[in-house]
Amino acid sequence: MDLRDLGAHLPDRLARIQDFLIACDAFKRIERRNYLADGSRLENDAEHTWHMALYAVLLHGELAEDVDLGRVLSMILVHDLVEIHAGDTFAYDEAGRADQAEREEDAARRLFGRLPADLAARIDGLWREFEAGETAEARFARQLDRLQAFAQNIASDGKAHRQNGVTRSKTRGRMAETLDGDPTLARLAEALYAHADARGLWLPEEGEA
């Protein structure tokens, strides 16, 4: 449905906010390379973001470091919005990652620029805080980003890993922020590794038979 005529009935500020919110509906159509836990289909960005937010709500009280849950949730909600224009870049796609930062910077300008200046600056700031990973809230959000995706892969019996040639050693590099971060999140990650090890979910490493 075309809602461009709403501007005739709303103040400019509200019309721009509504325009942005409708534009973000496209987020639900951005397909990721991870599967749902039952392996039935690939998840989309909106599902990943919702699941990350639920992780945050349930786990923030288990952390060794206090975090502002509201700020964490705000970061989670916006952390992948740029993929509306930039597309999802698979974590293990080295070629795709080469120009990821440039594509996402351009996407941020295009998407966040639809908002009034103050809100554009707020959303852009949250996105950049997540990307930098320097605050306690950003570190937690980034660790959950890795943990949720990894858990989906293990729950689906390593389906995405196998399809994309991802070995155990490759995942350790991607999971380093979580494994080296908060002890509770690291413990969860290690339990997922133990589960995968026990069930032989991994592809052979390079050079292995």
Side-chain angles (χ1 to χ4, degrees):
M1 181 180 294
D2 189 345
L3 299 181
R4 284 177 294 182
D5 65 343
L6 282 179
H9 308 284
L10 290 171
D12 180 68
R13 179 178 178 84
L14 289 181
R16 292 183 67 180
I17 292 171
Q18 182 64 78
D19 171 71
F20 175 82
L21 291 170
I22 294 298
C24 287
D25 185 72
F27 195 54
K28 303 168 189 175
R29 301 193 301 272
I30 306 301
E31 198 171 72
R32 290 167 55 81
R33 298 281 281 276
N34 292 334
Y35 284 87
L36 301 184
D38 66 1
S40 60
R41 65 168 174 83
L42 296 170
E43 71 174 354
N44 63 49
D45 267 353
E47 291 165 335
H48 163 66
T49 297
W50 161 80
H51 214 175
M52 270 182 68
L54 190 57
Y55 270 67
V57 168
L58 297 179
L59 291 174
H60 83 281
E62 311 301 320
L63 302 180
E65 185 176 18
D66 288 337
V67 296
D68 178 340
L69 180 60
R71 189 162 191 85
V72 171
L73 291 173
S74 295
M75 256 185 281
I76 287 172
L77 282 172
V78 307
H79 84 285
D80 273 344
L81 285 180
V82 293
E83 293 183 0
I84 289 172
H85 294 310
D88 175 61
T89 302
F90 186 49
Y92 302 98
D93 177 3
E94 293 184 12
R97 290 173 66 83
D99 67 346
Q100 180 181 1
E102 181 181 351
R103 285 186 288 108
E104 292 187 351
E105 282 284 350
D106 179 66
R109 286 191 293 272
R110 290 176 61 192
L111 183 62
F112 304 155
R114 301 175 81 128
L115 285 165
D118 61 320
L119 293 179
R122 180 183 176 192
I123 299 300
D124 185 76
L126 288 166
W127 174 65
R128 293 182 188 282
E129 181 178 351
F130 175 88
E131 289 295 309
E134 294 175 352
T135 64
E137 288 75 19
R139 287 192 296 272
F140 180 40
R142 288 174 64 88
Q143 289 165 28
L144 292 181
D145 187 37
R146 274 63 171 169
L147 182 62
Q148 186 273 342
F150 186 64
Q152 292 298 111
N153 274 311
I154 301 307
S156 61
D157 291 334
K159 188 172 181 178
H161 287 159
R162 293 197 309 274
Q163 288 183 350
N164 295 284
V166 178
T167 62
R168 189 185 197 279
S169 62
K170 287 181 179 179
T171 68
R172 298 293 290 195
R174 175 66 177 172
M175 290 295 291
E177 285 189 59
T178 303
L179 292 167
D180 298 335
D182 181 83
T184 295
L185 303 188
R187 185 176 183 180
L188 286 170
E190 292 291 7
L192 290 165
Y193 274 105
H195 174 91
D197 293 343
R199 286 157 180 78
L201 301 184
W202 303 109
L203 290 173
E205 298 288 344
E206 186 176 348
E208 290 182 353

